Amino acid sequence: MLLGTRKKPPRDLNIVVPHGSLSLMENFIQNILSYHSIATICHPSLSTIVQNFRKYGRQGKVITVTEPKHLLHPFHIVLNSPSTADMTFITAGGAVSFYPELTRNYHTVKTMTGEGVPRDQRLGSIGGDRFDVHPNMTFLNGPCNSLCPALWHHVSNHEEYAVVIWDRHFSVKSMLYDNDVEWRLNDYCFNSKCLFNIDVMVENNDIPPSIMPHSPQSVREQLKQIEDHEPPYEKTYKGLLYATACTEPIIVNIPLQDGTDQLNTLDELEVNHWVRQRDVMTCTASRKQHRRTFDTFPNSSTLPDDIYTVFLEQVNDYAASNALLEDIAQNTDLNGIVEGNILVIKQDRRNPLNIIDMHEKDVFLTNFLIRRQVSRYTV
């Protein structure tokens, strides 16, 4: 569609459905369209995000249906495609291409998923002859800029991709609005002319760290990692960290993500230095469920001048109970209910993207709010 009419009509139709919707689509394809089942196992490189997969055939035509795992948006399937050209989809009302310029120029770049496709196999645009398939961005002969594979992008930032609407009754923008899915192509960049190439970034520690900061000493070490990060972060804010093994909350620096110089969404805060909200070897994430915002005082009609957002860690088997939080919220029903670190930021009520640095004077009020409301923020 982006590239005009093909010499040969397309043979495949690849459908992505929300979790729990596979049976409805399966019934339509088999009983109404009279396609027969060919396969039920997806490519191994997609197995970590795919719940169910079906492949159907009829008279040389192929339809695939992919269902993401529980709590994953269909965008996780699209944005884990094997190459950038495959990160394009249509709905009844429009189309989205996440890498339109590359695609229109018949270039496609392998992703981490694409690296799992053997040379003699085909998946998406890899293995075909329509695009120049590149292993990395060195073909640009210059810096990657926003195309850098190692940088995170956000669906909520509409300027980062192309949207075409042909039916506003089924506007594709409804899927994109306030969507918290984020993605990157890979966890490294081999383009030597890029600011974020592997030779520069290799000196940085993993984000999130293998062991989350939990004690005053480990917090100081993580602060040093942020200070020494290469290339330097464009901007940092100050938040309040409730680490699992500390006796009091600590003021910490929270940088903007690499490649970001202006905050457009809270997901651009690199909170993973302090709270584990995604894993290291992953290229898509959804993190809104790991934060909660409160804008009122408990049992009061008075509105505070600022609002507060709490960032929690994702549920995992190795997060320790937060002893500091239990101490602050003693005599409440919180024993063992909160695991892992908690990070708090303060925002301007009139403009929530205006982050206000926290200071020691904020500790008392933040402790009060957490003591009264923390049970609402567990996930």
Side-chain angles (χ1 to χ4, degrees):
M1 183 186 65
L2 275 176
L3 304 177
T5 304
R6 301 179 61 171
K7 294 180 180 179
K8 295 181 180 179
R11 186 182 69 100
D12 298 355
L13 174 63
N14 302 305
I15 301 173
V16 180
V17 298
H19 179 82
S21 302
L22 180 69
S23 58
L24 180 64
M25 183 62 67
E26 187 170 39
N27 180 65
F28 173 75
I29 292 173
Q30 290 186 307
N31 298 333
I32 304 301
L33 300 182
S34 299
Y35 275 64
H36 61 277
S37 178
I38 297 175
T40 59
I41 300 176
C42 72
H43 194 278
S45 61
L46 292 168
S47 61
T48 59
I49 58 169
V50 172
Q51 179 73 34
N52 288 299
F53 173 82
R54 299 290 187 272
K55 185 176 182 179
Y56 308 95
R58 180 174 181 265
Q59 297 179 354
K61 305 290 186 181
V62 173
I63 298 177
T64 67
V65 182
T66 307
E67 176 189 32
K69 290 190 174 181
H70 182 52
L71 298 180
L72 293 186
H73 192 278
F75 283 170
H76 284 270
I77 303 293
V78 176
L79 294 170
N80 272 284
S81 294
S83 77
T84 55
D86 303 309
M87 294 182 181
T88 301
F89 70 92
I90 63 172
T91 68
V96 173
S97 175
F98 289 100
Y99 292 89
E101 290 303 318
L102 290 178
T103 304
R104 280 196 290 259
N105 288 292
Y106 293 89
H107 292 293
T108 190
V109 180
K110 281 187 178 183
T111 65
M112 183 182 291
T113 299
E115 289 181 347
V117 181
R119 291 178 178 272
D120 59 343
Q121 290 187 13
R122 179 172 182 175
L123 184 64
S125 298
I126 295 180
D129 56 6
R130 198 175 193 201
F131 293 94
D132 290 329
V133 181
H134 305 278
N136 51 60
M137 294 291 181
T138 56
F139 74 97
L140 295 174
N141 295 317
C144 299
N145 298 320
S146 62
L147 292 175
C148 177
L151 297 183
W152 286 96
H153 304 273
H154 304 267
V155 170
S156 58
N157 287 354
H158 301 162
E159 296 179 357
E160 295 192 341
Y161 48 88
V163 180
V164 178
I165 298 174
W166 50 69
D167 189 339
R168 295 189 179 278
H169 293 94
F170 302 98
S171 176
V172 69
K173 285 190 174 181
S174 63
M175 296 180 63
L176 305 170
Y177 177 75
D178 201 29
N179 191 295
D180 73 319
V181 176
E182 57 190 3
W183 85 95
R184 62 180 177 177
L185 299 180
N186 220 314
D187 58 353
Y188 55 82
C189 175
F190 278 133
N191 183 1
S192 61
K193 297 180 180 179
C194 177
L195 288 174
F196 305 97
N197 73 77
I198 191 170
D199 293 329
V200 174
M201 301 285 279
V202 72
E203 298 299 327
N204 301 324
N205 280 10
D206 287 338
I207 306 173
S210 56
I211 300 177
M212 298 306 296
H214 57 283
S215 64
Q217 176 62 31
S218 59
V219 169
R220 287 192 292 270
E221 292 172 355
Q222 193 64 28
L223 285 169
K224 188 68 165 57
Q225 289 291 332
I226 294 174
E227 181 182 348
D228 294 341
H229 185 83
E230 290 293 340
Y233 286 117
E234 292 283 346
K235 186 174 180 59
T236 60
Y237 303 92
K238 293 190 180 298
L240 200 58
L241 177 69
Y242 292 76
T244 56
C246 288
T247 57
E248 59 184 6
I250 301 174
I251 303 293
V252 297
N253 293 329
I254 308 169
L256 289 178
Q257 289 179 337
D258 283 321
T260 304
D261 58 10
Q262 181 178 345
L263 188 66
N264 297 296
T265 168
L266 291 184
D267 287 326
E268 289 179 331
L269 292 172
E270 192 53 276
V271 299
N272 281 275
H273 280 290
W274 307 111
V275 287
R276 185 189 304 276
Q277 294 193 335
R278 62 171 179 251
D279 295 321
V280 175
M281 295 294 292
T282 185
C283 284
T284 61
S286 298
R287 298 188 287 122
K288 186 180 292 185
Q289 71 269 25
H290 302 309
R291 70 172 183 257
R292 303 289 185 271
T293 297
F294 51 92
D295 56 4
T296 60
F297 289 122
N299 304 319
S300 173
S301 60
T302 302
L303 295 178
D305 294 333
D306 308 305
I307 61 178
Y308 296 81
T309 294
V310 175
F311 296 85
L312 302 163
E313 295 203 49
Q314 66 183 13
V315 177
N316 57 68
D317 296 331
Y318 40 85
S321 295
N322 195 307
L324 171 58
L325 214 55
E326 291 177 356
D327 182 60
I328 292 172
Q330 58 184 310
N331 300 323
T332 66
D333 297 328
L334 287 176
N335 289 334
I337 197 172
V338 179
E339 295 183 338
N341 293 341
I342 282 185
L343 182 67
V344 183
I345 62 169
K346 182 167 67 172
Q347 303 151 262
D348 187 333
R349 173 179 292 276
R350 295 173 295 278
N351 178 15
L353 290 179
N354 179 20
I355 308 300
I356 302 171
D357 284 346
M358 300 192 78
H359 302 283
E360 294 296 337
K361 64 181 181 181
D362 296 305
V363 171
F364 179 82
L365 177 58
T366 307
N367 285 354
F368 171 73
L369 292 172
I370 285 182
R371 176 181 170 83
R372 299 298 298 271
Q373 303 198 49
V374 70
S375 61
R376 292 171 49 197
Y377 302 119
T378 57
V379 292

